[in-house]
Amino acid sequence: MVSFRFGRELRLLTPSQFDNVFQNPFRVASPLFTILAKPNQLTHPRIGLTIAKKRVKLAVHRNRIKRCVRDNFRLHQHQLPGVDLVLMVKGDISNTPNDELLKQLERLWQKIARQYIAVSSG
């Protein structure tokens, strides 16, 4: 049976794991987000979030964005290859509705799957 949990094994936890992704990643972007991705040696994807105070001022807005991203990632984790992902916001998206965030994220997950195939084969 397929599990839709979001446990520790699906998260980037240490600074060294984040640093590994920042070194020579492939990049996908949308008007709201930039995602850096790098293949890992695991069978599942892992995600780390960096939402800067400079971009989204209030903690309640940053937390709402994180909840949306985590939940959407949790639901789409089985469609993604074994990559480490770091998600960053591009600007102040605190007033963006949740449905728009989710729509952008779903497009990015599809782009990541396509680019992973191109990167791993080439």
Side-chain angles (χ1 to χ4, degrees), residues 1 13 20 25 30 45-46 53 56 67 89-90 108 113 121:
M1 180 156 173
L13 299 171
N20 181 41
S30 74
R46 297 187 299 180
K53 284 184 192 178
V56 182
R67 279 194 307 274
V89 297
K90 282 191 172 180
L108 288 171
S121 66

Side-chain angles (χ1 to χ4, degrees), residues 49-61:
L49 306 174
T50 57
I51 300 176
K53 284 184 192 178
K54 182 177 180 179
R55 303 269 188 237
V56 182
K57 303 282 188 232
L58 297 178
V60 293
H61 296 304

Side-chain angles (χ1 to χ4, degrees), residues 36-111:
L36 305 177
K38 189 170 187 181
N40 63 26
Q41 304 302 318
L42 306 170
T43 59
H44 56 81
R46 297 187 299 180
I47 191 167
L49 306 174
T50 57
I51 300 176
K53 284 184 192 178
K54 182 177 180 179
R55 303 269 188 237
V56 182
K57 303 282 188 232
L58 297 178
V60 293
H61 296 304
R62 289 193 303 274
N63 292 337
R64 178 184 64 90
I65 293 164
K66 288 179 192 178
R67 279 194 307 274
C68 285
V69 171
R70 284 187 197 122
D71 189 52
N72 197 270
F73 175 79
R74 180 182 67 82
L75 295 173
H76 291 87
Q77 65 183 315
H78 300 293
Q79 299 167 6
L80 295 169
V83 292
D84 288 343
L85 308 167
V86 174
L87 180 131
M88 300 178 288
V89 297
K90 282 191 172 180
D92 185 6
I93 62 172
S94 57
N95 294 325
T96 306
N98 287 355
D99 61 338
E100 180 62 27
L101 295 176
L102 299 176
K103 192 184 319 177
Q104 296 275 328
L105 288 167
E106 288 176 18
R107 285 190 198 128
L108 288 171
W109 304 141
Q110 292 170 358
K111 280 186 185 179

